[in-house]
């Protein structure tokens, strides 16, 4: 999808921002890709591997942009987003890719250029970070959540939808609160569990023996614990209410499983059999998405 004179600025050139840059370049979505990066080393690396055409200070990048994509930790998004909206031209579109949405949306709720902003969360990533972690096709076939779309201007919403379609993503629509509640269970809780599991294993005496024996099951379960704390710590704080709710639910099920192992073998097997039904859910037997053929966008349905 070739855009005419489309300057896209990406604030944050790590895994997510760098992968967006790679795929937008490959799709010929942008005429010119501008990076904004706080780390000088990351900025140099991003230029060296051709993620972007130039790296500029935030103000200079925003002044030249038709689309600004903010891909930094959520606490930093809350600081920068109002500044970006203050500086943009009337026709410029702004979106962020943060994993939490309500607190971010709240800081610009009354901003005069609120309709230029589209709140989004692409559900994709790895445990790696930095420009060199950027991947082709990271978003292909995944879902992105657009929040509170009625608060965004139609032209800005359309441009961001088009960008995500160029990344190969399906699009779901929710309120910011619904997205924070849903992702607490399917994204944020698994990261908390991975950090806790890693700490549990490392607290064991003779832990080097444990790690010598570690194989696929342990490695795949604990993989998320390698994620950058500077990114995930602010997510846990921003979405504290729903993450605590999800943790309480998880702990309840852990305790039930523990009790069944100790005292009720039949119940243990019932719990395991019930858990295997997740295959049907993840395999699409109970789809939560329906396709709108007119827009070629998948819509979230309750």
């Amino acid at each position: 999808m070739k855009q005419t004179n489309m300057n896209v600025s990406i604030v944050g050139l790590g895994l997510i921002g760098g992968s967006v840059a790679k795929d937008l370049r490959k799709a010929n979505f942008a005429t010119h890709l501008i990076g904004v990066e706080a780390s000088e080393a990351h900025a140099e690396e991003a230029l060296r591997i051709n993620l972007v055409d130039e790296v500029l200070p935030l103000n200079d990048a925003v002044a030249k942009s038709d689309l600004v994509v903010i891909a930094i930790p959520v606490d930093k998004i809350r600081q920068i987003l109002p500044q970006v909206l203050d500086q943009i031209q009337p026709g410029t579109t702004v979106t962020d890719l943060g994993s939490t949405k309500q607190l971010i949306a709240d800081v610009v709720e009354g901003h005069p250029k609120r309709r230029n902003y589209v709140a989004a969360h692409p559900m994709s990533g790895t445990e790696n970070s930095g420009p060199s972690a950027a991947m082709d096709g990271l978003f292909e076939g995944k879902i992105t959540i657009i929040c509170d779309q009625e608060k965004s201007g139609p032209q800005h919403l359309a441009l961001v939808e088009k960008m995500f379609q160029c990344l190969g993503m399906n699009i779901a629509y929710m309120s910011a609160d619904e997205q924070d509640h849903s992702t607490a269970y399917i994204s944020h809780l698994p990261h908390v569990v991975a950090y806790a599991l890693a700490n549990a294993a490392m607290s064991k005496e003779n832990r080097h023996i444990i790690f010598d024996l570690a194989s696929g099951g342990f490695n795949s379960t604990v993989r998320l614990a390698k994620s950058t704390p500077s990114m995930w710590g602010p997510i846990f704080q921003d979405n504290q209410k729903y993450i605590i709710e999800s943790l309480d639910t998880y702990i309840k099920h852990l305790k039930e499983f523990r009790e069944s192992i100790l005292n009720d073998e039949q119940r243990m097997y019932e719990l395991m059999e019930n858990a295997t039904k997740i295959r049907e859910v993840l395999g699409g037997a109970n789809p939560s998405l329906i396709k709108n053929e007119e827009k070629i966008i998948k819509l979230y349905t309750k």
Side-chain angles (χ1 to χ4, degrees):
M1 293 184 179
K2 183 74 173 178
Q3 300 286 338
T4 302
N5 298 324
M6 174 65 69
N7 292 333
V8 178
S9 283
I10 299 178
V11 183
L13 298 173
L15 168 70
I16 299 299
S19 298
V20 168
K22 273 179 169 281
D23 283 350
L24 292 187
R25 186 185 294 284
K26 188 175 181 180
N28 293 319
F29 179 86
T31 308
H32 192 65
L33 282 166
I34 306 164
V36 178
E37 176 54 60
S39 164
E40 186 175 338
H42 284 179
E44 291 174 358
E45 184 180 1
L47 287 170
R48 180 177 58 79
I49 63 179
N50 199 36
L51 283 184
V52 291
D53 300 304
E54 61 177 331
V55 175
L56 296 176
L58 180 66
N59 293 357
D60 295 340
V62 169
K64 296 176 64 172
S65 298
D66 301 295
L67 171 63
V68 179
V69 180
I70 306 176
I72 54 180
V74 293
D75 57 330
K76 301 296 191 297
I77 294 174
R78 284 189 275 110
Q79 294 173 18
I80 285 178
L81 179 58
Q83 300 173 31
V84 171
L85 289 180
D86 286 344
Q87 298 169 36
I88 57 172
Q89 299 299 315
T92 301
T93 300
V94 180
T95 189
D96 84 284
L97 308 182
S99 185
T100 61
K101 289 273 84 79
Q102 188 64 67
L103 291 184
I104 292 171
D106 285 348
V107 299
V108 294
E109 180 62 31
H111 197 283
K113 295 176 183 171
R114 171 61 182 86
R115 290 182 67 77
N116 293 63
Y117 166 62
V118 180
H121 175 204
M123 301 287 292
S124 186
T126 74
E127 71 276 18
N128 302 315
S129 61
S132 61
M135 299 170 55
D136 291 312
L138 178 66
F139 308 99
E140 182 71 34
K142 307 292 177 53
I143 294 174
T144 192
I145 302 170
I146 290 179
C147 296
D148 302 331
Q149 74 272 16
E150 70 283 354
K151 297 182 180 181
S152 302
Q155 71 275 33
H156 304 297
L157 182 61
L159 180 60
V160 172
E161 288 173 337
K162 192 172 186 180
M163 180 191 78
F164 284 123
Q165 288 171 1
C166 280
L167 298 178
M169 302 197 82
N170 300 313
I171 302 176
Y173 298 89
M174 300 183 187
S175 70
D177 184 70
E178 285 174 328
Q179 114 80 35
D180 286 358
H181 199 179
S182 298
T183 55
Y185 283 84
I186 61 174
S187 176
H188 305 162
L189 177 61
H191 281 81
V192 175
V193 171
Y195 284 122
L197 177 58
N199 284 334
M202 289 191 295
S203 71
K204 188 79 171 69
E205 290 185 22
N206 298 322
R207 64 189 185 193
H208 62 281
I209 298 174
I210 295 175
F211 294 129
D212 285 345
L213 297 174
S215 59
F218 178 82
N219 290 336
S220 61
T221 304
V222 83
R223 173 183 63 83
L224 296 177
K226 295 184 279 186
S227 300
T228 308
S230 62
M231 181 178 78
W232 279 95
I235 290 171
F236 296 159
Q237 288 299 300
D238 269 20
N239 205 20
Q240 184 182 99
K241 172 186 172 183
Y242 289 132
I243 292 174
I244 293 300
E245 176 191 304
S246 69
L247 263 174
D248 287 344
T249 302
Y250 179 63
I251 291 167
K252 171 190 166 188
H253 284 275
L254 273 181
K255 287 180 176 178
E256 185 179 10
F257 217 118
R258 179 183 186 276
E259 182 64 24
S260 72
I261 293 171
L262 279 173
N263 299 313
D264 190 342
E265 183 178 358
Q266 178 60 33
R267 179 59 178 158
M268 179 189 74
Y269 279 104
E270 289 173 359
L271 292 172
M272 293 167 67
E273 286 295 335
N274 185 66
T276 63
K277 294 175 184 175
I278 196 71
R279 293 182 205 163
E280 299 172 10
V281 176
L282 296 180
N286 298 301
S288 61
L289 296 172
I290 58 173
K291 193 167 185 181
N292 180 327
E293 295 293 345
E294 292 182 3
K295 288 189 175 181
I296 321 177
I297 295 171
K298 289 187 178 178
L299 305 175
Y300 179 80
T301 57
K302 282 290 189 185

